[in-house]
Amino acid sequence: MGKSRTKRFKRPQFSPTGDCQAEMAAAENGTEREEDDGPAAELLEKLQHPSAEVRECACAGLARLVQQQPALPGLARRHAVRRLGPLLLDPSLAVRETAAGALRNLSACGGFEVCDDMVAKDIMTPLVALLKECSAGLDSNEMPPQEKNDQNRNSIENIANEAVNVLWNICECSSRAVSIFNKEGCLEIVLKYLSRFPTNVGLAISVAYCLQTVTEDNIELLKSFNAPALHVLESAMLSPGSSMEYVLLKTLVAGTVWNLKDIIPSKSQAEIINAILKILSEVLEIDAGEMVIQMKEAETQRLKTAAETEEILANANGGDLIEDDEMEEMPHKRKVRRKTFISDLLPPTDKELREAIAVLTAQQTALEIIVNMCYSEGPSDDEWEELSSSDESDAFMECCFSEGGGQLLSPLCLSHEIHSALTNSLIPKKIFEKTAFPNSIAVDICSKNPTWKPLIRKMNTIQCRALVCLQSLLSLLDVEPLGGAPALQALAQHLSQLLFSQPDFVKHVDFLEAGSSALRALLQTMASKNISQCITPDQLVTLCRAGIRSSNVGVRVNVVSILGITGSVLAKEDGTLETLKTIGCFLLEVVTQDPSLVVVGEALDALFDVFADGKEAERASIQIKLLSALKEFQPVFKTKIRKEGRSKYSPDQLCVLDNVKMNLRRFVAYQETVEKRLTT
């Protein structure tokens, strides 16, 4: 039903918490159940204990408990947020850190309803106060290194890291939290944390995630980005760090800079876009599969060496424990690392795993940024022709955030600069490469280790993001930057092999939707440029018969559109009667049986395209009795739109469906003339 457009990527959304919202409402109304909530009640009581160690242990226990979905309603009934909030400003730094860790997990695992409830319970007041105190604390510790100062600084940075993650999670789910972020001047605080990237990249990464979230579609906040603020972002983007964590940091900051496009002076637009694309290109250049293999081998060797060293020391001391006077002076309490609760920020001891996760996350983020860059409304083909190609500068961010005025970017100029920069880059080629299945050796290695197994999902996600990104490029770029007709034909064969080589591919919804969307865009591009297809009609029909069984509406829309594109090309050729009949019968079956009017509308559009012209198409329409089938369906379609329209579909969808309904009436009239001409 019209040209397909790739949707923008938001940051990952959290799933709802089921009955949690109802439980919260019950708690507010005083109608909550009175049964004992087991460990939740006991842990919440201990938050008020006079001993800091007991409070810390209680917070750590809650940090684990909130990861269990069944525990969330009970915690809501007992006002866990109101009890944890004050501990963000506890006299004990350890309690502050563990309290922030518990709230971080609660906001991450609880979803939209929990985050909204946290804002309603005024968690932002102590959270902002904590962020400000951490900022002041870091300033006071900027003095000649002393052991105590170093310990305090590390503790404050750890607390700040947890607090920023809470802020990020809440702002991602609550517009009220973003509004408070703006009004309370949180930008200056988190930018100060970001500036510590040379010594604490973990904290900087957390801030970069948060900034990428709060700067999206936030006009009010953009006004706060002055020259010093932009300089901090520039410094992070130019970071010389070579570890994968620094690669992730630079990618996230590039995403934030893209969100600031509306305040970029026109004289700097080419440099900014090229700087962003240079970072994204370098990220996509990395062979993530090989990196995962290398990191796992490094971890295995490190653990082996550590075990051998421990055995040597044990033998040297006769199996006795090693005595250390300094160890006796340490407090006898267990340290709890909350970073193990969030997979993207792992304990410092798991350096290899953190590096592997960082590169995979960086590549996923890079692909999402490219999709968002392509998403902005672009000019028409005629407008492209009127634009002269801009001079591309090799300068990387030099003076790109210069002070002073200058005309701001217009959408037309912005689209032109993106088009020009992508046309002259290697990014399209790198995206093609990322559409392949993940490295089988890396997948096998990760599957054998529980802590590495989640990386398989991340590798699969990169493939899906690359397929979506490919769809965007096909919609934006001309044929030549994509490699010309031979490259597109090879790409079509590659996509068909991807789809057919995946066992039970219908069950892999994300993959099937991304793959079918990319194939749809590719076939549309090839058809518009009269490039012959190398995928046989029988292959496409087989794919579509499998895809139409999917529960995902997007997949079903894609497969009927693919058949429409293929059929419209075949209708102009000789000897295609039987294939056109097969396509027509398939589309009629979808029209009369699919429960979604969106899919039905797309199938009708496909029928209009296939049987609009051509002798073979006219003969096929008579033999499959297309006219009588559509005449019979007309009143059914009108009734469904009237009965289901407003309750199930958006205004935009209804507008398109009304247009399809009008086109159906015209097409029926056209088919009547065809049938009369061929049967008389």
Side-chain angles (χ1 to χ4, degrees), residues 279-317:
I279 290 173
L280 304 185
S281 180
E282 290 172 351
V283 171
L284 296 177
E285 182 71 34
I286 300 170
D287 188 329
E290 282 299 320
M291 180 64 67
V292 169
I293 294 171
Q294 292 173 17
M295 290 297 102
K296 188 65 184 75
E297 290 175 348
E299 181 194 65
T300 301
Q301 185 60 45
R302 175 176 59 81
L303 295 176
K304 179 182 177 182
T305 302
E308 291 173 349
T309 302
E310 184 177 347
E311 183 179 355
I312 292 172
L313 291 174
N315 292 334
N317 287 273

mmCIF file of all heavy atoms in Angstrom, residues 279-317:
data_model
loop_
_atom_site.group_PDB
_atom_site.id
_atom_site.type_symbol
_atom_site.label_atom_id
_atom_site.label_comp_id
_atom_site.label_asym_id
_atom_site.label_seq_id
_atom_site.Cartn_x
_atom_site.Cartn_y
_atom_site.Cartn_z
ATOM 1 N N ILE A 279 33.511 7.243 11.706
ATOM 2 C CA ILE A 279 33.478 6.408 12.913
ATOM 3 C C ILE A 279 32.671 5.143 12.661
ATOM 4 O O ILE A 279 33.102 4.024 13.000
ATOM 5 C CB ILE A 279 32.886 7.205 14.091
ATOM 6 C CG1 ILE A 279 33.860 8.293 14.536
ATOM 7 C CG2 ILE A 279 32.559 6.277 15.265
ATOM 8 C CD1 ILE A 279 33.298 9.228 15.578
ATOM 9 N N LEU A 280 31.501 5.291 12.051
ATOM 10 C CA LEU A 280 30.642 4.130 11.796
ATOM 11 C C LEU A 280 31.311 3.167 10.830
ATOM 12 O O LEU A 280 31.205 1.941 10.985
ATOM 13 C CB LEU A 280 29.292 4.589 11.244
ATOM 14 C CG LEU A 280 28.508 5.590 12.096
ATOM 15 C CD1 LEU A 280 27.144 5.856 11.485
ATOM 16 C CD2 LEU A 280 28.356 5.089 13.530
ATOM 17 N N SER A 281 32.022 3.705 9.847
ATOM 18 C CA SER A 281 32.722 2.851 8.891
ATOM 19 C C SER A 281 33.821 2.043 9.577
ATOM 20 O O SER A 281 33.998 0.846 9.308
ATOM 21 C CB SER A 281 33.317 3.718 7.775
ATOM 22 O OG SER A 281 34.004 2.923 6.831
ATOM 23 N N GLU A 282 34.570 2.701 10.459
ATOM 24 C CA GLU A 282 35.636 2.000 11.189
ATOM 25 C C GLU A 282 35.059 0.906 12.088
ATOM 26 O O GLU A 282 35.659 -0.167 12.235
ATOM 27 C CB GLU A 282 36.425 3.007 12.022
ATOM 28 C CG GLU A 282 37.276 3.960 11.180
ATOM 29 C CD GLU A 282 37.898 5.064 12.005
ATOM 30 O OE1 GLU A 282 37.531 5.204 13.198
ATOM 31 O OE2 GLU A 282 38.753 5.809 11.472
ATOM 32 N N VAL A 283 33.911 1.172 12.658
ATOM 33 C CA VAL A 283 33.265 0.166 13.517
ATOM 34 C C VAL A 283 32.868 -1.052 12.687
ATOM 35 O O VAL A 283 33.118 -2.202 13.070
ATOM 36 C CB VAL A 283 32.021 0.763 14.205
ATOM 37 C CG1 VAL A 283 31.231 -0.329 14.921
ATOM 38 C CG2 VAL A 283 32.424 1.844 15.192
ATOM 39 N N LEU A 284 32.243 -0.802 11.534
ATOM 40 C CA LEU A 284 31.759 -1.904 10.700
ATOM 41 C C LEU A 284 32.899 -2.646 10.015
ATOM 42 O O LEU A 284 32.704 -3.767 9.527
ATOM 43 C CB LEU A 284 30.780 -1.366 9.656
ATOM 44 C CG LEU A 284 29.494 -0.750 10.226
ATOM 45 C CD1 LEU A 284 28.636 -0.179 9.107
ATOM 46 C CD2 LEU A 284 28.704 -1.785 11.027
ATOM 47 N N GLU A 285 34.073 -2.042 9.970
ATOM 48 C CA GLU A 285 35.241 -2.690 9.366
ATOM 49 C C GLU A 285 35.712 -3.872 10.211
ATOM 50 O O GLU A 285 36.314 -4.822 9.699
ATOM 51 C CB GLU A 285 36.373 -1.662 9.223
ATOM 52 C CG GLU A 285 37.625 -2.199 8.559
ATOM 53 C CD GLU A 285 37.423 -2.457 7.073
ATOM 54 O OE1 GLU A 285 36.671 -1.711 6.434
ATOM 55 O OE2 GLU A 285 38.031 -3.419 6.568
ATOM 56 N N ILE A 286 35.435 -3.838 11.498
ATOM 57 C CA ILE A 286 35.897 -4.888 12.416
ATOM 58 C C ILE A 286 35.173 -6.198 12.123
ATOM 59 O O ILE A 286 33.957 -6.226 11.938
ATOM 60 C CB ILE A 286 35.648 -4.468 13.883
ATOM 61 C CG1 ILE A 286 36.399 -3.171 14.192
ATOM 62 C CG2 ILE A 286 36.060 -5.578 14.843
ATOM 63 C CD1 ILE A 286 36.014 -2.558 15.526
ATOM 64 N N ASP A 287 35.922 -7.271 12.073
ATOM 65 C CA ASP A 287 35.337 -8.607 11.931
ATOM 66 C C ASP A 287 34.916 -9.067 13.322
ATOM 67 O O ASP A 287 35.732 -9.576 14.101
ATOM 68 C CB ASP A 287 36.360 -9.569 11.327
ATOM 69 C CG ASP A 287 35.750 -10.925 10.971
ATOM 70 O OD1 ASP A 287 34.803 -11.342 11.673
ATOM 71 O OD2 ASP A 287 36.220 -11.558 10.009
ATOM 72 N N ALA A 288 33.644 -8.877 13.643
ATOM 73 C CA ALA A 288 33.162 -9.156 14.999
ATOM 74 C C ALA A 288 33.279 -10.632 15.353
ATOM 75 O O ALA A 288 33.593 -10.983 16.493
ATOM 76 C CB ALA A 288 31.711 -8.689 15.141
ATOM 77 N N GLY A 289 33.035 -11.506 14.383
ATOM 78 C CA GLY A 289 33.143 -12.938 14.648
ATOM 79 C C GLY A 289 34.547 -13.329 15.057
ATOM 80 O O GLY A 289 34.747 -14.065 16.043
ATOM 81 N N GLU A 290 35.540 -12.835 14.310
ATOM 82 C CA GLU A 290 36.933 -13.127 14.652
ATOM 83 C C GLU A 290 37.309 -12.520 15.999
ATOM 84 O O GLU A 290 38.066 -13.117 16.772
ATOM 85 C CB GLU A 290 37.863 -12.578 13.562
ATOM 86 C CG GLU A 290 37.911 -13.437 12.310
ATOM 87 C CD GLU A 290 38.422 -14.841 12.579
ATOM 88 O OE1 GLU A 290 39.365 -14.981 13.381
ATOM 89 O OE2 GLU A 290 37.874 -15.792 12.010
ATOM 90 N N MET A 291 36.765 -11.339 16.281
ATOM 91 C CA MET A 291 37.049 -10.698 17.562
ATOM 92 C C MET A 291 36.513 -11.535 18.713
ATOM 93 O O MET A 291 37.179 -11.703 19.743
ATOM 94 C CB MET A 291 36.435 -9.296 17.591
ATOM 95 C CG MET A 291 36.670 -8.527 18.887
ATOM 96 S SD MET A 291 38.424 -8.172 19.189
ATOM 97 C CE MET A 291 38.774 -7.017 17.866
ATOM 98 N N VAL A 292 35.318 -12.083 18.564
ATOM 99 C CA VAL A 292 34.746 -12.941 19.599
ATOM 100 C C VAL A 292 35.625 -14.168 19.817
ATOM 101 O O VAL A 292 35.909 -14.562 20.958
ATOM 102 C CB VAL A 292 33.314 -13.370 19.213
ATOM 103 C CG1 VAL A 292 32.808 -14.476 20.138
ATOM 104 C CG2 VAL A 292 32.368 -12.174 19.271
ATOM 105 N N ILE A 293 36.079 -14.768 18.718
ATOM 106 C CA ILE A 293 36.945 -15.947 18.827
ATOM 107 C C ILE A 293 38.237 -15.597 19.564
ATOM 108 O O ILE A 293 38.676 -16.326 20.472
ATOM 109 C CB ILE A 293 37.262 -16.504 17.418
ATOM 110 C CG1 ILE A 293 35.980 -17.031 16.763
ATOM 111 C CG2 ILE A 293 38.313 -17.609 17.505
ATOM 112 C CD1 ILE A 293 36.155 -17.385 15.297
ATOM 113 N N GLN A 294 38.863 -14.489 19.190
ATOM 114 C CA GLN A 294 40.125 -14.074 19.818
ATOM 115 C C GLN A 294 39.939 -13.783 21.303
ATOM 116 O O GLN A 294 40.773 -14.170 22.133
ATOM 117 C CB GLN A 294 40.669 -12.838 19.114
ATOM 118 C CG GLN A 294 41.146 -13.083 17.694
ATOM 119 C CD GLN A 294 41.527 -11.794 16.986
ATOM 120 O OE1 GLN A 294 41.732 -10.759 17.621
ATOM 121 N NE2 GLN A 294 41.607 -11.845 15.663
ATOM 122 N N MET A 295 38.856 -13.101 21.658
ATOM 123 C CA MET A 295 38.618 -12.763 23.058
ATOM 124 C C MET A 295 38.364 -14.017 23.897
ATOM 125 O O MET A 295 38.812 -14.117 25.039
ATOM 126 C CB MET A 295 37.435 -11.802 23.176
ATOM 127 C CG MET A 295 37.697 -10.393 22.653
ATOM 128 S SD MET A 295 38.993 -9.527 23.581
ATOM 129 C CE MET A 295 40.380 -9.688 22.445
ATOM 130 N N LYS A 296 37.645 -14.974 23.318
ATOM 131 C CA LYS A 296 37.383 -16.219 24.069
ATOM 132 C C LYS A 296 38.672 -16.994 24.262
ATOM 133 O O LYS A 296 38.914 -17.568 25.340
ATOM 134 C CB LYS A 296 36.360 -17.091 23.330
ATOM 135 C CG LYS A 296 35.899 -18.292 24.159
ATOM 136 C CD LYS A 296 35.132 -17.839 25.387
ATOM 137 C CE LYS A 296 34.731 -18.999 26.288
ATOM 138 N NZ LYS A 296 35.848 -19.545 27.069
ATOM 139 N N GLU A 297 39.521 -17.020 23.248
ATOM 140 C CA GLU A 297 40.818 -17.694 23.379
ATOM 141 C C GLU A 297 41.671 -16.995 24.431
ATOM 142 O O GLU A 297 42.363 -17.652 25.224
ATOM 143 C CB GLU A 297 41.530 -17.715 22.027
ATOM 144 C CG GLU A 297 40.887 -18.646 21.015
ATOM 145 C CD GLU A 297 41.544 -18.562 19.650
ATOM 146 O OE1 GLU A 297 42.348 -17.618 19.440
ATOM 147 O OE2 GLU A 297 41.267 -19.428 18.793
ATOM 148 N N ALA A 298 41.634 -15.658 24.447
ATOM 149 C CA ALA A 298 42.412 -14.903 25.437
ATOM 150 C C ALA A 298 41.910 -15.186 26.841
ATOM 151 O O ALA A 298 42.708 -15.325 27.783
ATOM 152 C CB ALA A 298 42.322 -13.406 25.133
ATOM 153 N N GLU A 299 40.598 -15.274 26.998
ATOM 154 C CA GLU A 299 40.040 -15.583 28.320
ATOM 155 C C GLU A 299 40.469 -16.974 28.776
ATOM 156 O O GLU A 299 40.860 -17.176 29.932
ATOM 157 C CB GLU A 299 38.514 -15.498 28.284
ATOM 158 C CG GLU A 299 37.873 -15.781 29.638
ATOM 159 C CD GLU A 299 36.379 -16.025 29.539
ATOM 160 O OE1 GLU A 299 35.985 -17.034 28.918
ATOM 161 O OE2 GLU A 299 35.612 -15.224 30.084
ATOM 162 N N THR A 300 40.391 -17.929 27.860
ATOM 163 C CA THR A 300 40.781 -19.307 28.190
ATOM 164 C C THR A 300 42.236 -19.358 28.630
ATOM 165 O O THR A 300 42.582 -20.024 29.628
ATOM 166 C CB THR A 300 40.567 -20.226 26.976
ATOM 167 O OG1 THR A 300 39.190 -20.184 26.587
ATOM 168 C CG2 THR A 300 40.963 -21.661 27.307
ATOM 169 N N GLN A 301 43.106 -18.650 27.924
ATOM 170 C CA GLN A 301 44.527 -18.636 28.274
ATOM 171 C C GLN A 301 44.761 -17.945 29.611
ATOM 172 O O GLN A 301 45.569 -18.409 30.429
ATOM 173 C CB GLN A 301 45.322 -17.925 27.173
ATOM 174 C CG GLN A 301 46.826 -17.950 27.378
ATOM 175 C CD GLN A 301 47.379 -19.370 27.440
ATOM 176 O OE1 GLN A 301 47.018 -20.217 26.629
ATOM 177 N NE2 GLN A 301 48.233 -19.639 28.423
ATOM 178 N N ARG A 302 44.038 -16.858 29.852
ATOM 179 C CA ARG A 302 44.198 -16.133 31.124
ATOM 180 C C ARG A 302 43.789 -17.003 32.308
ATOM 181 O O ARG A 302 44.488 -17.069 33.329
ATOM 182 C CB ARG A 302 43.365 -14.848 31.112
ATOM 183 C CG ARG A 302 43.375 -14.096 32.444
ATOM 184 C CD ARG A 302 42.627 -12.785 32.350
ATOM 185 N NE ARG A 302 41.246 -12.954 31.974
ATOM 186 C CZ ARG A 302 40.267 -13.291 32.832
ATOM 187 N NH1 ARG A 302 40.555 -13.524 34.107
ATOM 188 N NH2 ARG A 302 39.021 -13.398 32.412
ATOM 189 N N LEU A 303 42.668 -17.675 32.180
ATOM 190 C CA LEU A 303 42.199 -18.540 33.267
ATOM 191 C C LEU A 303 43.143 -19.719 33.488
ATOM 192 O O LEU A 303 43.383 -20.130 34.637
ATOM 193 C CB LEU A 303 40.788 -19.044 32.959
ATOM 194 C CG LEU A 303 39.689 -17.968 32.915
ATOM 195 C CD1 LEU A 303 38.362 -18.587 32.494
ATOM 196 C CD2 LEU A 303 39.555 -17.284 34.271
ATOM 197 N N LYS A 304 43.691 -20.238 32.391
ATOM 198 C CA LYS A 304 44.641 -21.348 32.510
ATOM 199 C C LYS A 304 45.901 -20.907 33.241
ATOM 200 O O LYS A 304 46.399 -21.593 34.143
ATOM 201 C CB LYS A 304 44.989 -21.875 31.114
ATOM 202 C CG LYS A 304 45.995 -23.018 31.119
ATOM 203 C CD LYS A 304 46.320 -23.455 29.696
ATOM 204 C CE LYS A 304 47.375 -24.553 29.695
ATOM 205 N NZ LYS A 304 47.746 -24.966 28.298
ATOM 206 N N THR A 305 46.416 -19.718 32.861
ATOM 207 C CA THR A 305 47.616 -19.182 33.505
ATOM 208 C C THR A 305 47.372 -18.902 34.978
ATOM 209 O O THR A 305 48.215 -19.192 35.834
ATOM 210 C CB THR A 305 48.061 -17.887 32.796
ATOM 211 O OG1 THR A 305 48.298 -18.168 31.416
ATOM 212 C CG2 THR A 305 49.320 -17.324 33.433
ATOM 213 N N ALA A 306 46.185 -18.352 35.297
ATOM 214 C CA ALA A 306 45.853 -18.051 36.691
ATOM 215 C C ALA A 306 45.779 -19.326 37.520
ATOM 216 O O ALA A 306 46.254 -19.371 38.665
ATOM 217 C CB ALA A 306 44.525 -17.297 36.755
ATOM 218 N N ALA A 307 45.193 -20.375 36.941
ATOM 219 C CA ALA A 307 45.087 -21.651 37.663
ATOM 220 C C ALA A 307 46.459 -22.258 37.907
ATOM 221 O O ALA A 307 46.744 -22.785 38.991
ATOM 222 C CB ALA A 307 44.209 -22.620 36.866
ATOM 223 N N GLU A 308 47.340 -22.172 36.902
ATOM 224 C CA GLU A 308 48.688 -22.712 37.058
ATOM 225 C C GLU A 308 49.463 -21.938 38.118
ATOM 226 O O GLU A 308 50.182 -22.519 38.935
ATOM 227 C CB GLU A 308 49.422 -22.662 35.714
ATOM 228 C CG GLU A 308 48.860 -23.624 34.676
ATOM 229 C CD GLU A 308 49.489 -23.435 33.309
ATOM 230 O OE1 GLU A 308 50.208 -22.417 33.129
ATOM 231 O OE2 GLU A 308 49.271 -24.284 32.421
ATOM 232 N N THR A 309 49.304 -20.613 38.119
ATOM 233 C CA THR A 309 49.986 -19.774 39.117
ATOM 234 C C THR A 309 49.494 -20.095 40.515
ATOM 235 O O THR A 309 50.290 -20.194 41.465
ATOM 236 C CB THR A 309 49.743 -18.287 38.807
ATOM 237 O OG1 THR A 309 50.213 -18.000 37.488
ATOM 238 C CG2 THR A 309 50.466 -17.404 39.808
ATOM 239 N N GLU A 310 48.193 -20.261 40.656
ATOM 240 C CA GLU A 310 47.620 -20.586 41.969
ATOM 241 C C GLU A 310 48.135 -21.925 42.475
ATOM 242 O O GLU A 310 48.440 -22.091 43.661
ATOM 243 C CB GLU A 310 46.093 -20.612 41.847
ATOM 244 C CG GLU A 310 45.381 -20.834 43.173
ATOM 245 C CD GLU A 310 43.871 -20.788 43.035
ATOM 246 O OE1 GLU A 310 43.377 -20.352 41.970
ATOM 247 O OE2 GLU A 310 43.187 -21.192 43.984
ATOM 248 N N GLU A 311 48.250 -22.885 41.553
ATOM 249 C CA GLU A 311 48.745 -24.203 41.945
ATOM 250 C C GLU A 311 50.199 -24.126 42.396
ATOM 251 O O GLU A 311 50.595 -24.760 43.387
ATOM 252 C CB GLU A 311 48.603 -25.171 40.766
ATOM 253 C CG GLU A 311 49.022 -26.598 41.106
ATOM 254 C CD GLU A 311 48.842 -27.541 39.939
ATOM 255 O OE1 GLU A 311 48.305 -27.100 38.891
ATOM 256 O OE2 GLU A 311 49.246 -28.710 40.053
ATOM 257 N N ILE A 312 51.014 -23.336 41.684
ATOM 258 C CA ILE A 312 52.426 -23.183 42.048
ATOM 259 C C ILE A 312 52.553 -22.555 43.430
ATOM 260 O O ILE A 312 53.346 -22.998 44.278
ATOM 261 C CB ILE A 312 53.157 -22.326 40.992
ATOM 262 C CG1 ILE A 312 53.238 -23.090 39.666
ATOM 263 C CG2 ILE A 312 54.540 -21.924 41.480
ATOM 264 C CD1 ILE A 312 53.761 -22.243 38.517
ATOM 265 N N LEU A 313 51.761 -21.505 43.691
ATOM 266 C CA LEU A 313 51.812 -20.834 44.986
ATOM 267 C C LEU A 313 51.343 -21.760 46.105
ATOM 268 O O LEU A 313 51.899 -21.760 47.208
ATOM 269 C CB LEU A 313 50.943 -19.569 44.955
ATOM 270 C CG LEU A 313 51.460 -18.420 44.077
ATOM 271 C CD1 LEU A 313 50.443 -17.295 44.032
ATOM 272 C CD2 LEU A 313 52.795 -17.906 44.611
ATOM 273 N N ALA A 314 50.307 -22.537 45.806
ATOM 274 C CA ALA A 314 49.795 -23.460 46.815
ATOM 275 C C ALA A 314 50.848 -24.506 47.172
ATOM 276 O O ALA A 314 51.052 -24.842 48.349
ATOM 277 C CB ALA A 314 48.524 -24.139 46.309
ATOM 278 N N ASN A 315 51.546 -25.014 46.167
ATOM 279 C CA ASN A 315 52.594 -26.003 46.416
ATOM 280 C C ASN A 315 53.764 -25.396 47.175
ATOM 281 O O ASN A 315 54.357 -26.022 48.056
ATOM 282 C CB ASN A 315 53.078 -26.595 45.090
ATOM 283 C CG ASN A 315 52.016 -27.441 44.413
ATOM 284 O OD1 ASN A 315 51.132 -27.976 45.089
ATOM 285 N ND2 ASN A 315 52.092 -27.562 43.090
ATOM 286 N N ALA A 316 54.095 -24.135 46.825
ATOM 287 C CA ALA A 316 55.219 -23.472 47.480
ATOM 288 C C ALA A 316 54.949 -23.220 48.950
ATOM 289 O O ALA A 316 55.864 -23.190 49.772
ATOM 290 C CB ALA A 316 55.533 -22.157 46.775
ATOM 291 N N ASN A 317 53.680 -23.051 49.324
ATOM 292 C CA ASN A 317 53.323 -22.770 50.713
ATOM 293 C C ASN A 317 52.766 -24.002 51.424
ATOM 294 O O ASN A 317 52.132 -23.883 52.466
ATOM 295 C CB ASN A 317 52.274 -21.655 50.764
ATOM 296 C CG ASN A 317 52.862 -20.301 50.429
ATOM 297 O OD1 ASN A 317 53.377 -19.610 51.289
ATOM 298 N ND2 ASN A 317 52.779 -19.921 49.146
#
